[in-house]
Amino acid sequence: MDIGGTKKRITIHDVAAAAGVSISTASKALNNTGRMGDETRERVKRVASNIGFRPNALARGLLSKRSFTIGLLTNDTYGRFTLPVMAGISEALVDHGVSVFLCAIEDDPALGQIHVEAMLDKQVDGIIATGKRLDRRLPVDLSNLPVPVVYAFTEGTPNSVTFRSDDAQGATLAVEWLLKSGRSRIVHITGPKEFFSVRERADAYSAAAGGDEPVMYGVWSESWGHEAIKQIWNRAGEKPDALFCGNDQIARGAVDALRERGVKVPEDVSVIGFDNWEIVAAQTRPPLTTVDMELKELGRQAGLTVLALAEGRPVEPGVRKLPCRLVVRQSCGGKTPRE
C-alpha cells in the first residue's frame, strides 16, 4: 500500500499471515531458532522473500545483543592496500547480514582514538585493523578493547590474530618461474631495506636464485627502476636476462629504461613485478607479469575470523600467512616453464 508515494514496510505480521503461521513461529523460522519442521521453516523463509520482507536490524540487534556492523580502521588513506582488503571483508560478511564501515586515520594518533571511540559508541561487533605495511602498527592502541580486534596487512598486538601475505613464498614463485623459463642471470631490484617485506622477499630471492648477485635496494618508484637499469648497464660484466622487482612501479620504470636502451622485453630480458596493482601492471608495455598478494582473500579471512570472535567461537591467536599467486602476462619470455 502506498500513502503519498511511500511504500508500506512489510512486517513480521505480514509474513506470518501470508505463511499461515503464528508471529512467534515466523520469527523463529527467520532467525533459525526454535523447533519446527524443515518444510515449515523453509516455507516461511520463501514467503518472506517473495513478499519483500526485510528484518529490522535494530530489533534483531536488540534480540542478539549485536549491532551487525564491523569497523575497519586504516592509515592507508590512498587505499592501495585497504580497498582490496575491504572488498574481501564485505564479500565475506554480506551473507551474514553484517555491514562494514571504514575509518581512515592517516598517521594521527588523536584521530585514530576518536574513530575507535566512535566505533565503540556505535557498538560494533568487532574491529579489523589494516594498513600500508606489515611491520608497522597503527598509531592507536587497540589492546584491551571490549570488542574483538583482528589485524590484516599490519602489525598486530601480542596474542592477536594477524593475517598477512607470505612474501617469501611469493618471491620464490617469481624466481622459480624465471628459472623454469630458462633464465639464469636474475637481478632483484627492490625498495627500502628497512621494510620487513623487502628483506623477506630479498632473502627468498637469494635462496631460490642460488647466485651471488647483490640485491639492489632503493625506493618504491618508477624512477628507481629506471635508475637501477642505468647502473646495471653502465657497469662492466654480463647483463641480466631477467629482473625480479620489489613492486610493479619499480618494474615499470625498469621496463621503460630497457626499451630506451633498445633491450627487448621479454625477448632479451624477462621482468616480474610484485603487488599486481592493475592500474600499473596491466598498462605496462608489455603488460607485466607480477605477484598478487591476494589481499581480497586476506580480507575475506579476516572478516570471517572477526565474525567468529564476535559470535564467541574460539580462535587461536597468531600470524596466518596466506599464499601469493603469480599472474602471468607478456613481460616474461623464454621457454615454456617446465613442471
Side-chain angles (χ1 to χ4, degrees):
M1 179 179 178
D2 288 339
I3 301 176
T6 302
K7 189 175 181 180
K8 177 179 177 291
R9 182 182 179 91
I10 303 297
T11 69
I12 190 74
H13 297 78
D14 300 313
V15 175
V21 298
S22 68
I23 294 172
S24 174
T25 298
S27 177
K28 290 174 182 176
L30 294 173
N31 287 292
N32 291 315
T33 59
R35 301 173 68 176
M36 68 186 70
D38 290 341
E39 190 279 330
T40 300
R41 193 181 300 277
E42 291 305 314
R43 177 163 52 85
V44 171
K45 289 182 177 181
R46 185 171 60 252
V47 167
S49 175
N50 290 342
I51 68 175
F53 172 71
R54 296 184 61 189
N56 185 302
L58 179 58
R60 186 169 57 129
L62 290 171
L63 286 171
S64 63
K65 306 231 175 356
R66 289 179 52 198
S67 66
F68 294 90
T69 58
I70 296 294
L72 179 60
L73 201 65
T74 183
N75 65 345
D76 174 28
T77 51
Y78 189 69
R80 163 67 191 93
F81 303 106
T82 294
L83 291 179
V85 169
M86 184 173 183
I89 296 169
S90 299
E91 186 177 281
L93 298 183
V94 65
D95 289 339
H96 298 274
V98 177
S99 300
V100 182
F101 68 91
L102 172 67
C103 290
I105 65 173
E106 301 184 2
D107 287 309
D108 185 340
L111 181 61
Q113 191 59 43
I114 289 171
H115 280 310
V116 169
E117 290 173 0
M119 288 179 176
L120 296 178
D121 286 344
K122 293 179 183 296
Q123 298 183 317
V124 295
D125 295 328
I127 293 174
I128 298 175
T130 187
K132 49 194 175 185
R133 55 188 289 186
L134 297 173
D135 52 354
R136 289 289 185 273
R137 291 187 187 177
L138 296 188
V140 60
D141 185 9
L142 298 177
S143 59
N144 301 316
L145 293 184
V147 297
V149 179
V150 170
Y151 297 83
F153 203 78
T154 192
E155 185 180 7
T157 57
N159 298 317
S160 63
V161 181
T162 303
F163 290 88
R164 50 157 297 197
S165 302
D166 191 339
D167 285 279
Q169 177 262 350
T172 302
L173 271 181
V175 176
E176 288 183 346
W177 180 272
L178 292 169
L179 292 172
K180 290 176 182 177
S181 299
R183 305 299 181 171
S184 59
R185 303 182 306 280
I186 306 169
V187 170
H188 185 34
I189 308 170
T190 190
K193 194 172 184 177
E194 61 266 25
F195 278 65
F196 172 80
S197 59
V198 167
R199 299 192 301 273
E200 194 166 60
R201 294 171 196 174
D203 288 346
Y205 151 78
S206 297
D212 56 2
E213 184 72 31
V215 175
M216 300 182 70
Y217 297 100
V219 295
W220 301 118
S221 70
E222 290 185 35
S223 60
W224 163 233
H226 200 282
E227 171 62 25
I229 295 302
K230 178 182 176 182
Q231 292 181 21
I232 294 169
W233 257 257
N234 283 349
R235 68 194 184 198
E238 200 171 23
K239 303 301 182 253
D241 60 4
L243 303 175
F244 168 45
C245 299
N247 78 350
D248 293 341
Q249 291 165 286
I250 293 172
R252 186 157 78 172
V255 169
D256 288 346
L258 290 170
R259 183 170 55 248
E260 291 168 10
R261 291 176 177 272
V263 180
K264 295 179 180 178
V265 176
E267 292 85 353
D268 301 324
V269 178
S270 291
V271 180
I272 294 182
F274 209 106
D275 290 348
N276 193 29
W277 191 3
E278 290 274 354
I279 196 171
V280 175
Q283 297 304 315
T284 301
R285 290 294 174 262
L288 186 64
T289 295
T290 180
V291 178
D292 192 310
M293 292 187 290
E294 297 282 44
L295 294 177
K296 188 175 180 181
E297 175 61 20
L298 190 148
R300 196 180 77 83
Q301 294 290 342
L304 292 174
T305 301
V306 80
L307 180 64
L309 289 167
E311 293 175 347
R313 287 179 273 151
V315 176
E316 283 294 318
V319 177
R320 274 85 155 158
K321 292 183 182 180
L322 272 64
C324 298
R325 173 175 58 96
L326 187 68
V327 179
V328 180
R329 299 189 180 94
Q330 286 74 43
S331 68
C332 273
K335 294 176 284 186
T336 301
R338 301 181 297 273
E339 295 300 330

